Amino acid sequence: MGLFSLFQRHRTFDHGIYPVEHKELTADKPIRRLPFAPELVIPFAQHKGEPAVPLVKVGQEVVRGEPIARAEGFVSVPMHAPATGVIRAIALAPSADGPKTLAIYLKVYHAASQQVLYDLDRDLDAMTPAQIVAAVQDAGLVGLGGGAFPSHVKMQPPAGKVIETVIVNGCECEPYLTCDHRIMLEQTEALIRGIKLALKATGAKQAIIGVEDNKLDAVAHLRAVIPKELPITAEAVETKYPQGAEKMLIKSLLRKEVPIGGLPADVGVAVYNVGTLAQMGDLLPKGRGLIERVVTVSGPAVSNPGNFMVPVGTPLRFLLGQVGLAADRVGEVILGGPMMGMAVASLDVPVTKAVSGVVALEREDPDLDRRKVYPCIKCAECLKACPVSLNPSMLGELALARQYERMAEEFNLDQCFECGCCAYVCPSNIPLTQYFRIAKSINRDRQK
Amino acid sequence: MPKPIEIRTSPHLKRALSVDRIMRNVVFALLPVCAFAVFQFGLSALLLILTTTGAAIATEWFFARASGRGNTVSDWSVVITGILLALTLPPGFPLWMAAVAAFVGVALGKALFGGLGYNVMNPALVGRAFVQAAFPVPITTWTPAFAPGRFTEVIPSTFTLPFMQPIPVTDWIAGLQLDAWTGATPLALQKFQQIEPPITDVFTGMIAGSAGETSALLILICGLWLAFKRMLDWRIPFAVMAGAALTALPFWLIDSSLYPSPWFVLFSGGLMLGAWFMASDMVASPVTTSGLIIYGLFIGIVTVVIRLFGGLVEGVMYAILLANAAGPLISSWTQPRVYGAVKKTREAE
């Protein structure tokens, strides 16, 4: 923060926090490729919605890019082989969420050329919106920011809702993560192509790329290369967590609030992550499927952090082995960023379409260490941090009193999207986010 | 054999600020005020601070042990209670009464509610309110500031034996051979005799009063430091001061010979100490931002109303205790508007 940042304030939302960014570890590292892992593990449930259905049998040989599972219904996407090889098994595999899920075990042929042979020659300008939507689903595209929501669904708002603005989310507000930053710098052409496709498919009049002001080089680069005739602008927003949350970014850029229980479409907005649109611009012209993604591998327990193009299905053990994991120092391995990401119980968990980062934290981090939990001292720091203006202090007390229904009915528990701001600032070290997660799941079970 | 990796839930990062660090910083911020009290009133003030702090710590330790909460002294909050209590008492207050005040404050004001975080009122003020009722004379007996020999001898009443009436200080004061000692604080002088001491003396603390409340300037500096470190919400003291000044202003404009000026109201008595270090007690104040302002204004207004129209010269203590009691209500009135909430109701209409 320079002196001028005091005067030059970028647009933002209310509340939020300023965690240490740690982005300097990888921000300057161009996206590189790593060797293929000997075996890829490709779960069927890599997106929100119904899991895909397998198209291949054990023992079958597949070519890189070939469809290996089809979409099951509207809110689902197909899967494509991330490498040329043979299907060794279809069996349960460990996942970050806890329970094991069904996955394809693909033995990679290391002698293979790894050419993607599934190329079409599409004329993007001739495609109708409906054709684009279908092509996006066929490509197996999901939100690559971590949400993993099928991308084509957002292109078709509910009846009566009109999309006016496509917001391109380049905030990347989680500490350590820099993959979106690199994509904006390195894959600009594909990104612009993807934005054009999204504009056409949604019928939106304009697109705004929202970028946190710790990546002003990306803003300048985008402004320089976006053709003037396109209705696409790049805007800096304040560097603040969770600026990259859909609802927060809509507020920052458009001063609009998504109504409680509503969708961005209710305020005429569709939000896409920059990585998603860059992949869209890259895959759609050739009719290819999503088989790899950019992942930031970083953290204090990693010796050579960087940004890597990683095939879907690469086990974490292999990925971390490539960057040098200090096995004796590693405390936690997190999929995604440290604010909202999930710690894995096993390094056999694979990289999926939803994994934007792999962060290995150290065991001895003093801030991480289990500090003493004090009673709530009503310091109100959590109220000042909560981006949706909840009262986490009150919610926490109700959670301790097991009044879960009251939390939802009187204090808007369901509006909590578990960003972790309250638990981050709490001087009493109360695991508020965890309380709310438990309360929500108990309420869900009771409603069943 | 490598150690197994750990699993925790998000967020995986934490801010370094912790309860004991906040409390420790409040103690640090109070130390200059304590030092000035000792400089001004000598050994008696020092013994007073040590006594209340020691008694408060002992009481906390005893109740935490008895209730099985373990060692709660290490969170430092009880040290604040002990120091604050001493600062609100007259410098010559008998030590045994001070110890009683500390015991009652911590036991009744805090331990009985469940300890740190659960108390409704500020424990230091609960203790002081108790001795105000129990020992009305000693708590309104003031001794001169900057008495010669204050570092070599104590004020006679300090060493009063338990359950004995305090040793009268009038002879001792007469022996000091001071000019113009009236035995009253500026507040009492103003209220009963309409004599306002020079505002600079009141502001800097060159006057009689409770041990730690006299120097508005010093309290302001220490409080601002805490607010700057974001360990105190500046809205509370500012709302208290605004409430007090704005309430005093019209009366002073009507009759400045009878009513004190807003400046005098702000800098005299315990208003500064109350605003910056008592009202700002996180546990006993509301949690919402708008609630904090209402709470602060309430304290400021009630303080001045008591000072101008009550039988007491001092009103800060009761104003804060009343506001503490109203705190949860104020909080529930002022729940924040949740993101996306207004739109929803508009659509529903």
Side-chain angles (χ1 to χ4, degrees):
Chain A
M1 280 241 292
L3 181 65
F4 288 102
S5 60
L6 288 175
F7 305 102
Q8 188 195 347
R9 298 275 307 267
H10 291 113
R11 286 187 264 180
T12 196
F13 60 97
D14 297 332
H15 303 177
I17 57 171
Y18 303 89
V20 183
E21 296 170 27
H22 299 294
K23 301 214 186 216
E24 67 292 343
L25 294 172
T26 53
D28 300 329
K29 303 274 175 72
I31 301 163
R32 289 197 297 122
R33 283 182 185 278
L34 296 168
F36 281 91
E39 187 167 75
L40 302 176
V41 184
I42 310 141
F44 292 105
Q46 291 191 52
H47 53 263
K48 302 264 156 60
E50 285 299 304
V53 177
L55 294 169
V56 291
K57 294 191 185 68
V58 175
Q60 185 178 334
E61 293 188 325
V62 293
V63 177
R64 186 160 182 241
E66 181 182 341
I68 52 173
R70 62 174 171 79
E72 176 68 17
F74 179 58
V75 191
S76 178
V77 293
M79 288 166 20
H80 304 78
T84 298
V86 62
I87 310 292
R88 184 179 68 78
I90 296 177
L92 290 175
S95 79
D97 302 337
K100 290 191 170 188
T101 61
L102 208 57
I104 291 175
Y105 285 80
L106 174 65
K107 208 164 166 45
V108 178
Y109 288 166
H110 271 277
S113 70
Q114 298 297 355
Q115 287 253 44
V116 177
L117 299 177
Y118 289 77
D119 279 358
L120 303 172
D121 189 15
R122 278 188 180 142
D123 180 6
L124 294 180
D125 294 331
M127 287 174 86
T128 64
Q131 282 173 328
I132 295 173
V133 171
V136 167
Q137 184 176 18
D138 288 345
L141 268 172
V142 298
L144 298 182
F149 188 75
S151 301
H152 64 279
V153 180
K154 283 192 193 174
M155 289 177 164
Q156 295 165 291
K161 306 277 194 256
V162 180
I163 303 290
E164 286 163 356
T165 307
V166 166
I167 286 182
V168 187
N169 190 344
C171 287
E172 197 163 47
C173 56
E174 279 270 6
Y176 291 105
L177 304 193
T178 56
C179 53
D180 289 351
H181 189 182
R182 294 314 304 180
I183 287 168
M184 288 188 279
L185 291 174
E186 297 180 45
Q187 304 181 351
T188 327
E189 240 179 89
L191 175 60
I192 294 171
R193 215 178 302 132
I195 297 172
K196 278 165 73 180
L197 286 165
L199 281 171
K200 188 166 181 186
T202 56
K205 289 191 279 294
Q206 59 159 350
I208 308 172
I209 311 174
V211 185
E212 279 192 306
D213 55 15
N214 58 355
K215 296 178 269 290
L216 288 175
D217 57 338
V219 178
H221 174 68
L222 289 167
R223 283 181 180 159
V225 297
I226 294 169
K228 294 285 166 287
E229 67 274 15
L230 294 179
I232 305 172
T233 51
E235 297 278 350
V237 289
E238 193 190 347
T239 300
K240 180 161 86 169
Y241 179 86
Q243 187 69 265
E246 243 178 28
K247 287 179 168 184
M248 302 305 115
L249 188 55
I250 291 171
K251 174 97 183 215
S252 296
L253 289 172
L254 303 173
R255 306 313 306 162
K256 286 181 181 168
E257 289 188 7
V258 179
I260 286 179
L263 294 168
D266 292 327
V267 288
V269 179
V271 185
Y272 287 96
N273 170 262
V274 287
T276 313
L277 292 179
Q279 282 291 337
M280 201 181 285
D282 196 37
L283 299 174
L284 253 58
K286 295 173 186 165
R288 288 184 178 181
L290 182 71
I291 54 172
E292 55 189 8
R293 61 157 302 150
V294 187
V295 178
T296 301
V297 186
S298 188
V302 164
S303 31
N304 294 299
N307 299 294
F308 304 99
M309 187 61 96
V310 180
V312 168
T314 305
L316 296 186
R317 190 181 304 283
F318 178 85
L319 181 60
L320 290 166
Q322 296 291 312
V323 296
L325 182 71
D328 51 330
R329 291 206 319 260
V330 65
E332 278 187 304
V333 175
I334 296 155
L335 290 188
M339 290 304 296
M340 283 188 84
M342 213 171 297
V344 293
S346 155
L347 293 185
D348 297 325
V349 168
V351 168
T352 62
K353 293 175 182 178
V355 173
S356 48
V358 178
V359 179
L361 297 177
E362 280 185 303
R363 187 174 294 272
E364 304 302 333
D365 193 327
D367 290 346
L368 239 178
D369 208 0
R370 285 183 188 80
R371 292 200 309 232
K372 191 176 168 188
V373 177
Y374 290 101
C376 171
I377 58 164
K378 322 275 187 303
C379 65
E381 288 290 314
C382 52
L383 279 95
K384 290 173 196 155
C386 181
V388 285
S389 293
L390 299 176
N391 184 342
S393 158
M394 188 69 184
L395 285 167
E397 294 204 346
L398 290 173
L400 281 180
R402 296 171 190 247
Q403 300 195 21
Y404 306 120
E405 273 147 4
R406 208 173 148 216
M407 290 168 73
E409 282 156 19
E410 289 176 46
F411 294 95
N412 295 293
L413 173 67
D414 295 335
Q415 292 308 298
C416 169
F417 63 98
E418 298 166 29
C419 66
C421 288
C422 52
Y424 175 84
V425 297
C426 181
S428 290
N429 205 25
I430 300 169
L432 291 163
T433 313
Q434 201 176 339
Y435 284 180
F436 304 158
R437 219 173 267 146
I438 294 167
K440 282 202 264 182
S441 95
I442 288 173
N443 282 345
R444 266 197 303 273
D445 285 351
R446 280 182 186 168
Q447 276 167 2
K448 276 178 192 166
Chain B
M1 168 95 185
K3 289 174 192 147
I5 53 173
E6 301 172 32
I7 313 172
R8 289 186 212 123
T9 57
S10 66
H12 303 275
L13 298 181
K14 270 223 56 104
R15 188 169 60 161
L17 190 64
S18 58
V19 167
D20 52 329
R21 214 171 116 194
I22 294 175
M23 298 296 171
R24 229 168 30 236
N25 272 280
V26 177
V27 172
F28 293 155
L30 283 170
L31 287 180
V33 184
C34 291
F36 187 76
V38 175
F39 171 63
Q40 196 177 10
F41 298 108
L43 289 177
S44 281
L46 181 66
L47 290 170
L48 187 65
I49 294 166
L50 293 177
T51 302
T52 53
T53 309
I57 290 173
T59 311
E60 173 88 4
W61 181 84
F62 173 78
F63 278 98
R65 230 182 119 85
S67 66
R69 278 198 303 271
N71 178 15
T72 56
V73 175
S74 60
D75 65 37
W76 286 78
S77 64
V78 75
V79 179
I80 301 175
T81 301
I83 294 176
L84 277 179
L85 176 62
L87 296 181
T88 63
L89 296 172
F93 198 62
L95 294 183
W96 76 272
M97 294 179 183
V100 168
F103 171 79
V104 170
V106 176
L108 228 61
K110 185 175 175 189
L112 225 60
F113 288 90
L116 176 68
Y118 299 102
N119 50 300
V120 178
M121 294 178 183
N122 185 315
L125 290 181
V126 172
R128 192 187 190 278
F130 176 79
V131 288
Q132 174 103 48
F135 314 116
V137 175
I139 206 161
T140 47
T141 303
W142 312 97
T143 48
F146 305 109
R150 62 191 185 278
F151 296 120
T152 51
E153 54 181 307
V154 296
I155 302 165
S157 55
T158 295
F159 282 135
T160 307
L161 288 173
F163 307 106
M164 294 290 163
Q165 280 303 310
I167 299 153
V169 291
T170 36
D171 293 345
W172 174 74
I173 293 170
L176 295 174
Q177 296 184 328
L178 296 168
D179 299 333
W181 170 251
T182 59
T185 64
L187 265 181
L189 278 179
Q190 197 285 326
K191 187 175 177 86
F192 301 119
Q193 298 167 41
Q194 282 82 46
I195 301 167
E196 266 194 38
I199 196 75
T200 48
D201 285 1
V202 178
F203 184 60
T204 53
M206 300 296 141
I207 44 168
S210 290
E213 68 176 29
T214 57
S215 179
L217 174 66
L218 194 61
I219 293 164
L220 198 61
I221 292 169
C222 294
L224 280 170
W225 176 75
L226 266 189
F228 178 74
K229 295 202 78 177
R230 298 184 58 117
M231 295 189 190
L232 174 157
D233 197 311
W234 59 272
R235 292 176 190 86
I236 298 176
F238 275 87
V240 173
M241 294 193 292
L246 292 177
T247 313
L249 184 66
F251 295 102
W252 178 68
L253 289 177
I254 290 165
D255 188 350
S256 63
S257 65
L258 186 61
Y259 295 108
S261 74
W263 292 118
F264 181 80
V265 165
L266 285 183
F267 301 142
S268 62
L271 193 110
M272 274 291 160
L273 190 69
W276 286 92
F277 287 99
M278 305 256 196
S280 61
D281 178 4
M282 292 165 175
V283 178
S285 58
V287 288
T288 59
T289 304
S290 52
L292 290 181
I293 293 165
I294 295 172
Y295 164 87
L297 289 173
F298 176 88
I299 291 171
I301 293 166
V302 173
T303 300
V304 174
V305 168
I306 295 175
R307 279 191 188 178
L308 299 189
F309 307 107
L312 301 160
V313 291
E314 178 63 290
V316 179
M317 178 179 79
Y318 291 112
I320 294 177
L321 287 172
L322 282 173
N324 284 165
L329 199 61
I330 297 173
S331 277
S332 71
W333 281 341
T334 53
Q335 285 299 315
R337 189 194 69 87
V338 177
Y339 176 104
V342 163
K343 274 257 162 57
K344 182 80 173 175
T345 49
R346 266 190 208 147
E347 272 176 13
E349 277 164 10

